[in-house]
Amino acid sequence: MYLLQASGNAAGISGPLFFGTLGMFLMAIGIVVFVIFHQRKVIRYQMQMKKLEDEKQQMLLQASIRFQEEERQRIAADLHDDAGPLLATARLYLNENLIHQEPAIQLQSIYNAKQIIDDAIQLIRNISHSLMPPTLKNFGLESAMTDLFQKISGAGTLNASARFHDYRQRIKLEQELLIFRILQELVANILKHSNSGFIHLTQNANGNKLYFRIHHDGQGITQAEFDKLNHFSTGLGLKNIQSRINVLKGRIFFEIDSSHTYYKVTIEVPKEVTVSH
Amino acid sequence: MYCILNNGFAYYVFAIAKFKERYFIYEIFTIIELGCFLFYIKQIIKNKKLVKYPQFIFVIFLAFDIIDYFFLRQDKSFNSTTTGIEAVLIITFCLYYFYEQLKEANTLLIYTTHDFWIIIGFLIYSSGTFFLYLYAETTLQDQAFRRQYVIINSVFFLLKNILFSIAMFMKPEPKSEPDFPNDSLMSDWNNIRSFKNVN
């Protein structure tokens, strides 16, 4: 640069050339430095986001595993504590000494054993139904949800109704079960926490998407609260909802209406129609 | 070695042009230089809509250069207009390349790629010699300016070649995707195992 200035001053043209060249050079260097630093910043931000997302996924995975373990423990407890003693009692009635008893006592014992076996059958059926509701399997999501809402309404404490507007063709059973579980969990949460007077479920479809919306007039949560609870709460309910939504590749929105009179939860899931044979 | 060969060739071309007064060699050199750059940028631009523009621009530039040389320019000793336009085009495409890189969600650091060093080589050379070439047509006869011309041009030429050399000697770009796509499955499996062990 000293050379440039020295020779340029003698010719009298070096000023604009020198500053122009220097300016362009600095501009080029500035652009390159800006690009490098900006990209580093963006990459750092992306990595932070990825880390958060990974943590969230891990939490959902752990919640899902814990839920499965709890479910297994519950079934094991039901079988061990309820079905086991029932069958053992029935066995007592039907022991070898029964043939030495009088016919009246024999009849009474057989009747009692039959009653107990009926109870055991009913108990096993209940366990089976809790795993896969028969109404859902045989008649579909619409019937299962209507059935559930009728039972809730039948209890008399609140008004519950379900209306399916566009559900002419059933979706895959696995999808129906997941949606049923999500809606069941949402309804259970509303019954448990919201203190509402009515719950209304509506279903609709648009293109390849299915929409389910639950309205209620109790104390609900908004999307921000859902995200917060989902991330920090130790409870399993909301995490299970989120992991099921992820499995369905769907979305869920928790909102409060503008008049602040009722809350709504909307679920959006892609439709996977069953192939009819 | 690359720098010496490149510089030597450039000086050979300019020497022929100057001493034998075959100034059309400047035009050919400029056209080839821009052609090579546009061909290169066409390969690295990711926006499919813009891929056809380099060849389109090259044809327009070629037509303009011919018209300028045969019909517009009086003094044919240096082509300031076309080299100025060439520099503007190169700077514009370099900026577009950077814009594309910033826009793209890429986890690969930009300076670990060959393309980055080649592009900044072009950018710095074109920016640094932009004013020099603009002045050259009118003042190249001036002895003092010619000295400045040689110094500035050589410095940026050398800088460009150093940057190109960095690009050439760089290690192959690291892959942005893991070699084993089953890694995620393994990590899930490990999560399950660690969770069971904890409980």
Side-chain angles (χ1 to χ4, degrees), chain A residues 28 31-32 35, chain B residues 37-38 40-42 44-45 90-99 101 110 113-127 160 163-164 167:
Chain A
I31 288 167
V32 172
V35 168
Chain B
F37 174 78
L38 290 176
Y40 174 70
I41 206 84
K42 193 171 178 274
I44 60 169
I45 279 180
I90 290 175
I91 293 168
T92 309
F93 275 107
C94 289
L95 293 180
Y96 180 74
Y97 168 79
F98 288 136
Y99 167 73
Q101 292 297 310
I110 193 169
T113 62
H114 304 279
D115 296 335
F116 172 76
W117 295 99
I118 292 171
I119 288 293
I120 61 168
F122 276 117
L123 178 67
I124 286 175
Y125 180 72
S126 298
S127 310
K160 179 178 81 170
L163 292 165
F164 282 8

Side-chain angles (χ1 to χ4, degrees), chain B residues 33 121-122 125 155-165:
Chain B
E33 193 177 41
F122 276 117
Y125 180 72
V155 166
F156 284 108
F157 207 82
L158 195 68
L159 207 55
K160 179 178 81 170
N161 287 330
I162 289 169
L163 292 165
F164 282 8
S165 306

Side-chain angles (χ1 to χ4, degrees), chain A residues 1 3-11 13-22 24-25 27-29 31-32 34-36 38-40 42-43 46-47 50 58 61-63 65-66 69 72, chain B residues 91 95 98-99 101-102 104-111 116 120 123-124 126-133 135 139 142 144-145 147-149 151-152 156 159 187-188 191-192 194-196 199:
Chain A
M1 290 305 160
L3 275 173
L4 285 177
Q5 282 173 314
S7 58
N9 285 339
I13 51 163
S14 168
L17 177 63
F18 172 69
F19 288 113
T21 304
L22 186 67
M24 289 296 277
F25 177 65
M27 184 200 75
I29 296 290
I31 288 167
V32 172
F34 168 77
V35 168
I36 290 173
H38 184 77
Q39 205 218 10
R40 281 171 74 108
V42 169
I43 288 175
Q46 279 176 349
M47 284 172 84
K50 193 174 175 295
Q58 189 150 347
L61 181 70
Q62 288 192 352
I65 293 164
R66 210 161 75 206
E69 288 299 323
R72 282 181 191 148
Chain B
I91 293 168
L95 293 180
F98 288 136
Y99 167 73
Q101 292 297 310
L102 289 181
E104 194 183 46
N106 196 349
T107 51
L108 196 65
L109 286 166
I110 193 169
Y111 51 78
F116 172 76
I120 61 168
L123 178 67
I124 286 175
S126 298
S127 310
T129 55
F130 179 70
F131 275 91
L132 191 71
Y133 288 151
Y135 276 102
T139 43
D142 187 281
F145 178 80
R147 228 177 14 250
Q148 291 174 4
Y149 179 91
I151 293 168
I152 296 173
F156 284 108
L159 207 55
S187 67
D188 282 351
N191 286 340
I192 293 165
S194 61
F195 179 76
K196 283 198 169 174
N199 290 283

Side-chain angles (χ1 to χ4, degrees), chain A residues 90-156:
Chain A
R91 190 174 175 277
L92 279 177
Y93 279 109
L94 302 172
N95 63 9
E96 295 83 3
N97 291 331
L98 191 64
I99 52 169
H100 304 300
Q101 305 288 332
E102 287 183 14
I105 296 171
Q106 280 180 350
L107 270 175
Q108 184 60 42
S109 293
I110 290 167
Y111 178 76
N112 287 342
K114 189 174 164 284
Q115 284 288 318
I116 291 166
I117 289 167
D118 284 346
D119 287 348
I121 289 168
Q122 188 57 44
L123 180 78
I124 290 163
R125 187 178 285 156
N126 288 344
I127 294 169
S128 160
H129 287 182
S130 73
L131 293 173
M132 168 62 92
T135 324
L136 180 71
K137 191 179 174 187
N138 298 326
F139 304 107
L141 185 64
E142 184 176 356
S143 303
M145 287 315 300
T146 311
D147 192 34
L148 177 73
F149 274 71
Q150 273 172 1
K151 278 178 187 161
I152 294 167
S153 213

Side-chain angles (χ1 to χ4, degrees), chain A residues 86-275:
Chain A
L86 280 176
L87 293 171
T89 315
R91 190 174 175 277
L92 279 177
Y93 279 109
L94 302 172
N95 63 9
E96 295 83 3
N97 291 331
L98 191 64
I99 52 169
H100 304 300
Q101 305 288 332
E102 287 183 14
I105 296 171
Q106 280 180 350
L107 270 175
Q108 184 60 42
S109 293
I110 290 167
Y111 178 76
N112 287 342
K114 189 174 164 284
Q115 284 288 318
I116 291 166
I117 289 167
D118 284 346
D119 287 348
I121 289 168
Q122 188 57 44
L123 180 78
I124 290 163
R125 187 178 285 156
N126 288 344
I127 294 169
S128 160
H129 287 182
S130 73
L131 293 173
M132 168 62 92
T135 324
L136 180 71
K137 191 179 174 187
N138 298 326
F139 304 107
L141 185 64
E142 184 176 356
S143 303
M145 287 315 300
T146 311
D147 192 34
L148 177 73
F149 274 71
Q150 273 172 1
K151 278 178 187 161
I152 294 167
S153 213
T157 51
L158 84 164
N159 182 12
S161 58
R163 175 115 196 234
F164 280 58
H165 291 282
D166 191 356
Y167 200 73
R168 287 180 292 274
Q169 200 173 7
R170 278 183 71 177
I171 53 173
K172 278 186 179 174
L173 184 62
E174 302 87 57
Q175 246 199 332
E176 280 193 328
L177 184 61
L178 285 167
I179 295 168
F180 179 76
R181 291 291 180 222
I182 293 167
L183 294 173
Q184 201 180 30
E185 183 67 39
L186 288 170
V187 170
N189 283 347
I190 291 166
L191 293 176
K192 199 170 161 186
H193 303 290
S194 76
N195 203 19
S196 58
F198 84 88
I199 311 175
H200 181 62
L201 168 71
T202 42
Q203 178 276 336
N204 229 316
N206 188 13
N208 198 32
K209 298 270 170 63
L210 280 176
Y211 295 90
F212 298 90
R213 178 169 278 176
I214 296 178
H215 292 88
H216 69 91
D217 61 345
Q219 183 59 46
I221 57 169
T222 56
Q223 189 65 33
E225 286 167 319
F226 170 73
D227 291 337
K228 197 176 158 189
L229 286 168
N230 196 15
H231 207 82
F232 298 109
S233 162
T234 51
L236 285 176
L238 295 180
K239 288 190 180 74
N240 282 329
I241 289 173
Q242 186 60 60
S243 58
R244 285 186 173 117
I245 288 284
N246 289 352
V247 172
L248 287 164
K249 296 188 180 74
R251 295 191 292 174
I252 189 164
F253 309 98
F254 289 79
E255 297 161 276
I256 182 166
D257 85 316
S258 51
S259 62
H260 288 252
T261 47
Y262 58 87
Y263 284 84
K264 47 189 177 178
V265 188
T266 312
I267 299 165
E268 179 197 276
V269 285
K271 206 193 287 184
E272 284 180 47
V273 180
T274 44
V275 183

